[in-house]
Amino acid sequence: MNTNVHSANGTPEAHTTLSASQSKTLQLPPVSLYIHIPWCVQKCPYCDFNSHGQKQATLPEAEYVSHLLDDLAQDAKLIGGRTVHSIFIGGGTPSLFSPEAIGRLLSGVRERVNLAADAEITLEANPGTVESERFTGFAKAGVNRISIGVQSFQQEKLARLGRIHDEHQALNAAGYARDAGLNSFNLDLMHGLPEQSIEDALSDLQQGIAQQPPHLSWYQLTIEPNTQFHSKPPTLPEDDILWDIQEQGHDMLIAAGYEQYEISGYSLAGQQCQHNLNYWRFGDYLGIGCGAHGKITLKDTDQIVRTVKVKHPKGYMDLTRSYMHQRHTVLDEELPFEFFMNRLRLLEPCPKQDFTDFTGLKLDEQTTLITNLASAVKKGLLAETATHWQVTPLGRRYLNSLLEMLV
């Protein structure tokens, strides 16, 4: 089973392209801000994110924050005066930066964009890089949600994953998050680890639940290209074991009071990650920092653009070049797949009106898409009413197959 979806490009032949005579009017979805801090203590063998092992004793955090704020000042023009509703500081390991640097960063963000007073502000943390004072400092700097990359509580599995922390540091980090005065915190846990048994996986999950996180991300390890695990693949559990882990773990989470709201996201009532919800609802987001991706709706031209920033820190902080590596206008024929690739991660019903509002396409003119959606309904992967679509339990299990039908 593989429910992680990474490809964002459909084949143009599968969609109906708008003719020049057809009108298209895009509505403006909510806006979020993603900030990428690329450094980590060491690169994990499964990681395909844009991260770079820390080679120097001290990180250039003051210089990098200045570049982030300059990058944001340029990108802010894309959203005009629209309000930013959430911030996610990811990496890498953002908790390597000092609370002072994070405070300066967030103060600078407020000076450059209209940040909602109740904005969710998340910072990713590694249990091996934090202590109680640091978490308290992040909270004072303006962070109100911490996401802790635990992955496992078992030392053998942590070593195999290249993690720098141990079980005790993971437990301590959860305790620090509970006591730091945050609105919420998340624990990241992985299953389907090398040579992992059902008992091992459920033990990790039970220990995670015992820390009482308001939010728990529980997802399957997948082997991605350009990782150490891809070049030297470990022995992973068989598919039947993976499915048993998924089913039994899901039941354990539901019994503990968690609600599944997306493919790998579980939360207590009202504690869903607002930043992720905006992603999956096809919302807009600015992406600043090394290799950061953004997606912005331009009302004046009725276009959606995707942006990618310069990937390597050295190039990103080179004053002689632009932060922007690539800017791509999403073609009309790409929009249906992009919309559903995001929206079908969520378990909530998807209003059909959202498709028209946020892609600008009229559903009744998308003949190929309508046929493909009907086929997905017939196969039991998708449920449909007059006003909504909703992925079924079978569709969640075979999400990749469902999405391939819509290409």
Side-chain angles (χ1 to χ4, degrees):
M1 179 186 62
N2 176 9
T3 55
N4 291 302
V5 181
H6 298 279
S7 175
N9 294 313
T11 51
E13 293 77 11
H15 303 300
T16 301
T17 305
L18 290 178
S19 67
S21 63
Q22 292 172 316
S23 62
K24 185 175 77 165
T25 303
L26 287 164
Q27 301 299 312
L28 294 176
V31 182
S32 296
L33 170 63
Y34 176 75
I35 302 173
H36 192 77
I37 296 177
W39 293 281
C40 52
V41 174
Q42 65 182 26
K43 183 84 168 179
C44 296
Y46 62 87
C47 178
D48 68 335
F49 296 136
N50 182 32
S51 59
H52 303 265
Q54 182 179 351
K55 296 180 180 179
Q56 59 269 60
T58 58
L59 294 173
E61 59 178 32
E63 179 184 4
Y64 190 68
V65 167
S66 293
H67 282 283
L68 288 174
L69 295 176
D70 287 345
D71 188 0
L72 177 60
Q74 295 177 23
D75 267 16
K77 301 170 186 176
L78 296 174
I79 61 169
R82 294 164 64 190
T83 299
V84 172
H85 295 279
S86 68
I87 298 174
F88 195 101
I89 307 173
T93 306
S95 55
L96 288 172
F97 271 29
S98 67
E100 292 75 19
I102 298 300
R104 178 182 162 225
L105 171 62
L106 293 177
S107 293
V109 168
R110 290 186 176 91
E111 293 171 358
R112 288 160 177 80
V113 298
N114 180 22
L115 184 64
D118 62 348
E120 176 191 86
I121 303 176
T122 302
L123 181 136
E124 286 187 331
N126 187 315
T129 64
V130 295
E131 63 282 329
S132 59
E133 294 81 6
R134 203 170 185 86
F135 269 18
T136 302
F138 290 140
K140 290 180 179 178
V143 173
N144 54 34
R145 185 176 181 273
I146 294 280
S147 181
I148 307 170
V150 172
Q151 315 311 359
S152 175
F153 291 99
Q154 298 171 32
Q155 190 56 46
E156 177 189 356
K157 296 295 186 287
L158 290 169
R160 190 72 178 89
L161 292 173
R163 305 298 289 174
I164 64 170
H165 66 273
D166 59 27
E167 173 188 355
H168 300 293
Q169 289 173 310
L171 294 173
N172 286 341
Y176 300 154
R178 284 196 303 271
D179 298 338
L182 302 163
N183 291 347
S184 184
F185 72 95
N186 168 67
L187 296 184
D188 262 0
L189 286 176
M190 297 174 67
H191 59 86
L193 306 181
E195 301 177 7
Q196 186 180 49
S197 66
I198 296 175
E199 293 73 22
D200 285 342
L202 297 182
S203 174
D204 268 347
L205 185 56
Q206 186 60 61
Q207 200 158 2
I209 291 171
Q211 307 316 306
Q212 301 177 313
H215 190 284
L216 206 155
S217 297
W218 192 57
Y219 53 95
Q220 180 186 322
L221 169 66
T222 55
I223 306 301
E224 304 293 350
N226 302 315
T227 64
Q228 292 181 39
F229 273 0
H230 188 263
S231 58
K232 296 181 180 179
T235 301
L236 300 182
E238 298 291 334
D239 286 347
D240 288 347
I241 294 177
L242 291 173
W243 182 243
D244 287 340
I245 291 172
Q246 179 71 38
E247 278 197 318
Q248 294 181 40
H250 173 83
D251 291 344
M252 183 182 293
L253 284 158
I254 299 303
Y258 290 87
E259 302 171 353
Q260 185 183 18
Y261 70 97
E262 62 114 347
I263 291 297
S264 58
Y266 291 80
S267 73
L268 300 179
Q271 294 291 337
Q272 298 95 330
C273 177
Q274 297 304 306
H275 189 85
N276 284 350
L277 279 176
N278 191 45
Y279 279 159
W280 308 138
R281 288 171 177 163
F282 208 52
D284 283 350
Y285 51 95
L286 295 174
I288 66 170
C290 296
H293 290 238
K295 175 246 172 187
I296 297 296
T297 303
L298 303 179
K299 184 61 177 173
D300 57 340
T301 60
D302 271 334
Q303 293 177 321
I304 293 173
V305 296
R306 290 199 175 274
T307 61
V308 184
K309 300 303 172 60
V310 173
K311 186 174 182 179
H312 197 278
K314 185 176 180 180
Y316 180 81
M317 293 190 287
D318 180 353
L319 292 174
T320 66
R321 62 185 295 178
S322 170
Y323 298 117
M324 190 73 72
H325 172 64
Q326 185 179 30
R327 174 169 162 165
H328 165 68
T329 299
V330 183
L331 302 177
D332 289 337
E333 54 263 31
E334 297 172 326
L335 282 169
F337 181 76
E338 290 221 2
F339 176 84
F340 284 106
M341 182 191 68
N342 288 276
R343 203 57 176 76
L344 293 184
R345 284 190 64 99
L346 293 175
L347 275 61
E348 67 183 20
C350 168
K352 291 181 178 179
Q353 188 62 40
D354 281 3
F355 175 83
T356 296
D357 287 347
F358 300 141
T359 68
L361 304 177
K362 296 178 180 179
L363 181 60
D364 59 6
E365 295 174 351
Q366 305 299 304
T367 54
T368 302
L369 176 64
I370 291 172
T371 299
N372 292 341
L373 288 168
S375 179
V377 171
K378 186 175 181 180
K379 291 178 181 294
L381 302 174
L382 197 66
E384 184 178 24
T385 68
T387 58
H388 290 78
W389 299 288
Q390 186 171 21
V391 65
T392 65
L394 185 65
R396 294 199 297 272
R397 182 174 182 177
Y398 297 106
L399 182 58
N400 281 350
S401 297
L402 170 56
L403 291 173
E404 287 169 3
M405 293 180 65
L406 304 181
V407 174

